[in-house]
Amino acid sequence: MHTVEKIGGTSMSRFEEVLQNIFIGQRQGAELYQRIFVVSAYSGMTNMLLEHKKTGEPGVYERFADAHNEDAWLEALDNVQQAMTAKNAELFKGEYELQAANRFIEGRISDVRDCMVSLQQLCSYGHFQLTEHLMKVREMLASLGEAHSAFNTVLALKKAGINARLADLTGWNQREPKAFQEMVRDSFDGIDFNKELVVATGYTHCSEGLMNTFDRGYSEITFAQIAAATGASEAIIHKEYHLSSADPALVGVDKVVTIGRTNYDVADQLSNLGMEAIHPKAARTLRRAGIHLRIKNAFEPEHQGTLISQDYCSEKPCVEIIAGRKDVFGIEVFDQEMLGDVEYDLEITRLLKQLKLYVVNKDSDANSITYYVSASRKMINRASRLIEERYPMAEVNVHNIAIVSAIGSDLKVKGILAKTVAALAEAGISIQAVHQSIRQVEMQCVVQEEDYDAAIAALHRALIEPENHGDVIVAA
């Protein structure tokens, strides 16, 4: 039975370590096979190709979409080629491998350049609009990063004497796109996993257009679909860190523990807080296929990491993780006419969805609703203005807040609310709101933004650390 394993871009950038820790390690002979690897682009490459994920600095795509200066995107594409060939030179000292790696990516970039120049010329005619083709351009550019790292990985594995095979899901030179599931299924049909180690691109070209729905989260969707389509025994994600009881930078490396075991409910709560163990849509695919997910530290190969399954529940009720997010605003809408009228909530929710704002949570009383929304201040102000225009009698206030959460597969811990409130009070932190659902997998506390770091440390100290909590979760 084979595994399907995903390696992220930051880990791929430390390729020599990944090669020794994950791809080869202590394995010999047949032990090297029965594995499919899904690889992301090297760290920073997708930012250069599209736009910087955090700062928004434009890459090739954003400069092309701007369309005011043709030289700007061409120069950006040349910079990508230089960065990719520099990465090749870093990885390969042998002339044969280096030339092969350079030929591959230079050929792909040349095709992309020709295509984009032709498209720009075509759209100079009034009957053709550039905006109608931008998503295809975005997907084509994104695929370069994954193709680059996957091809190089196969080259390096072959050099090490391993029978490696590239599963290129980018659809390069494919005449007609296939449906997503069909594309994945056909790409692995006939491969003997006993004799070949398969390296697949994290991007899949398909008729649905993965980036339309998932944008830059597409690699985990590909990973999950490969696992489901090939009947994997286990899905594994290799990260730069363990899935731990809290952020070590906030509570101390010596205080955190690896979770060891948890379930997909907990993974979904983490996704809601922007701390994805796995994309929720990818998790759904694995769940439906009955496949367990393991999160491992790429640089501690002997550690078993954390196993996530559908039916796991801790032996005793306990808190497993203290997590949260800071990029949150509370949009408070007060109107005395609201009582008993559900249209307020429906209408405002539709408005926030139209603005593509992410609602982390919400609460309400008789005449007010507060939406806890993750977005830029500019978008929050726009949402606030539109709500005021829709409901002129309403009073709308925006609060800078943060959310800290206690999460566990079974959170029916007696006195947890009292212990949480006491811990935050002892740390001098005022609670703005508290949420706990009947499902008992998460309890959220809303605090002032400036209290976030201290709140995480205080809750971890009170609810998880050994001197205060006897049911610490240890590695499985």
Side-chain angles (χ1 to χ4, degrees):
M1 293 290 287
H2 68 278
T3 58
V4 175
E5 310 185 24
K6 179 183 177 296
I7 305 177
T10 305
S11 296
M12 285 297 294
S13 293
R14 296 167 62 179
F15 185 74
E16 195 59 39
E17 293 174 77
V18 168
L19 188 65
Q20 297 306 320
N21 288 343
I22 301 173
F23 286 106
I24 301 176
Q26 303 301 314
R27 295 177 179 85
Q28 294 181 351
E31 295 175 338
L32 290 162
Y33 302 101
Q34 288 289 358
R35 294 180 297 161
I36 300 170
F37 285 95
V38 180
V39 297
S40 297
Y42 300 114
S43 180
M45 291 299 180
T46 306
N47 288 340
M48 294 181 70
L49 286 162
L50 304 179
E51 67 285 315
H52 197 286
K53 195 172 184 177
K54 293 183 179 179
T55 67
E57 181 182 351
V60 180
Y61 170 78
E62 282 294 331
R63 295 179 189 280
F64 181 77
D66 188 36
H68 292 308
N69 185 347
E70 179 178 303
D71 292 338
W73 73 260
L74 282 169
E75 181 182 352
L77 189 60
D78 288 340
N79 291 339
V80 169
Q81 182 169 327
Q82 290 172 17
M84 288 183 167
T85 53
K87 187 65 182 180
N88 294 348
E90 176 190 323
L91 294 174
F92 302 113
K93 304 309 176 187
E95 194 64 26
Y96 171 80
E97 287 81 15
L98 180 58
Q99 286 187 6
N102 286 344
R103 278 197 305 270
F104 175 80
I105 199 58
E106 287 168 0
R108 291 275 171 118
I109 290 178
S110 176
D111 288 348
V112 166
R113 185 185 292 109
D114 291 346
C115 177
M116 291 172 67
V117 167
S118 297
L119 179 61
Q120 206 165 39
Q121 291 172 345
L122 179 68
C123 292
S124 65
Y125 297 92
H127 290 80
F128 301 91
Q129 302 301 313
L130 185 62
T131 53
E132 296 174 4
H133 305 281
L134 284 178
M135 185 52 68
K136 296 293 185 184
V137 172
R138 187 173 178 82
E139 296 217 2
M140 180 175 64
L141 285 168
S143 74
L144 287 175
E146 271 79 16
H148 177 224
S149 61
F151 184 86
N152 283 358
T153 301
V154 171
L155 266 183
L157 290 170
K158 286 184 174 179
K159 184 183 178 184
I162 299 169
N163 186 26
R165 173 171 178 161
L166 174 64
D168 188 353
L169 303 177
T170 64
W172 212 257
N173 296 325
Q174 187 174 302
R175 295 198 174 195
E176 292 290 334
K178 299 179 180 179
F180 179 43
Q181 294 186 13
E182 181 186 4
M183 179 70 175
V184 171
R185 186 178 62 249
D186 290 354
S187 297
F188 291 89
D189 189 37
I191 296 178
D192 185 351
F193 300 134
N194 287 309
K195 298 178 180 178
E196 293 180 290
L197 191 157
V198 185
V199 179
T201 56
Y203 168 80
T204 302
H205 178 60
C206 59
S207 55
E208 296 93 329
L210 283 191
M211 295 193 80
N212 274 323
T213 307
F214 307 109
D215 198 51
R216 291 172 66 164
Y218 55 79
S219 63
E220 289 190 355
I221 305 301
T222 295
F223 157 75
Q225 187 57 48
I226 291 172
T230 60
S233 60
E234 189 172 275
I236 303 172
I237 296 180
H238 298 276
K239 294 181 176 287
E240 304 79 58
Y241 47 81
H242 285 296
L243 188 59
S244 301
S245 55
D247 183 348
L250 298 181
V251 305
V253 175
D254 58 326
K255 300 290 196 304
V256 300
V257 290
T258 303
I259 302 307
R261 287 294 305 272
T262 193
N263 62 28
Y264 281 113
D265 268 4
V266 169
D268 286 345
Q269 306 313 315
L270 291 173
S271 295
N272 187 48
L273 293 170
M275 303 172 66
E276 290 184 359
I278 184 172
H279 193 289
K281 294 293 179 64
R284 184 178 67 183
T285 299
L286 294 176
R287 264 198 269 202
R288 287 178 174 174
I291 298 172
H292 293 177
L293 170 67
R294 190 178 297 276
I295 307 294
K296 296 193 68 173
N297 185 325
F299 308 106
E300 292 185 28
E302 301 306 318
H303 198 295
Q304 292 301 304
T306 296
L307 186 67
I308 301 173
S309 57
Q310 174 65 16
D311 54 1
Y312 174 78
C313 186
S314 57
E315 291 182 7
K316 295 180 181 179
C318 61
V319 178
E320 297 172 13
I321 307 174
I322 303 298
R325 66 187 302 166
K326 296 172 71 172
D327 59 333
V328 182
F329 293 88
I331 304 177
E332 179 191 17
V333 183
F334 170 83
D335 192 337
Q336 291 186 339
E337 302 296 318
M338 188 182 296
L339 182 61
D341 188 352
V342 297
E343 282 299 320
Y344 274 83
D345 187 17
L346 294 173
E347 186 69 26
I348 295 172
T349 299
R350 275 195 292 266
L351 186 151
L352 296 176
K353 185 177 181 180
Q354 287 170 3
L355 293 175
K356 296 183 178 179
L357 303 184
Y358 185 75
V359 179
V360 180
N361 208 336
K362 64 182 177 182
D363 59 38
S364 63
D365 56 27
N367 50 21
S368 73
I369 305 175
T370 302
Y371 300 86
Y372 300 98
V373 180
S374 175
S376 67
R377 184 76 201 207
K378 179 180 178 182
M379 291 303 296
I380 293 295
N381 289 340
R382 183 181 177 192
S384 179
R385 286 195 302 272
L386 291 174
I387 294 170
E388 288 174 336
E389 290 173 8
R390 177 65 182 82
Y391 297 105
M393 301 302 293
E395 180 182 321
V396 182
N397 294 302
V398 175
H399 306 274
N400 283 53
I401 56 96
I403 293 175
V404 292
S405 291
I407 305 171
S409 53
D410 181 1
L411 215 58
K412 300 184 184 74
V413 181
K414 290 182 180 179
I416 185 174
L417 180 57
K419 202 169 185 178
T420 297
V421 172
L424 293 177
E426 188 177 328
I429 297 169
S430 176
I431 300 175
Q432 308 299 306
V434 176
H435 306 114
Q436 186 172 17
S437 65
I438 292 176
R439 192 167 178 81
Q440 298 292 334
V441 292
E442 181 184 33
M443 183 179 67
Q444 291 186 352
C445 295
V446 177
V447 299
Q448 296 289 346
E449 184 181 30
E450 59 268 22
D451 290 331
Y452 175 80
D453 292 3
I456 291 287
L459 291 189
H460 192 272
R461 191 163 51 245
L463 303 177
I464 289 183
E465 288 173 31
E467 58 265 34
N468 291 297
H469 183 61
D471 299 320
V472 172
I473 303 300
V474 296

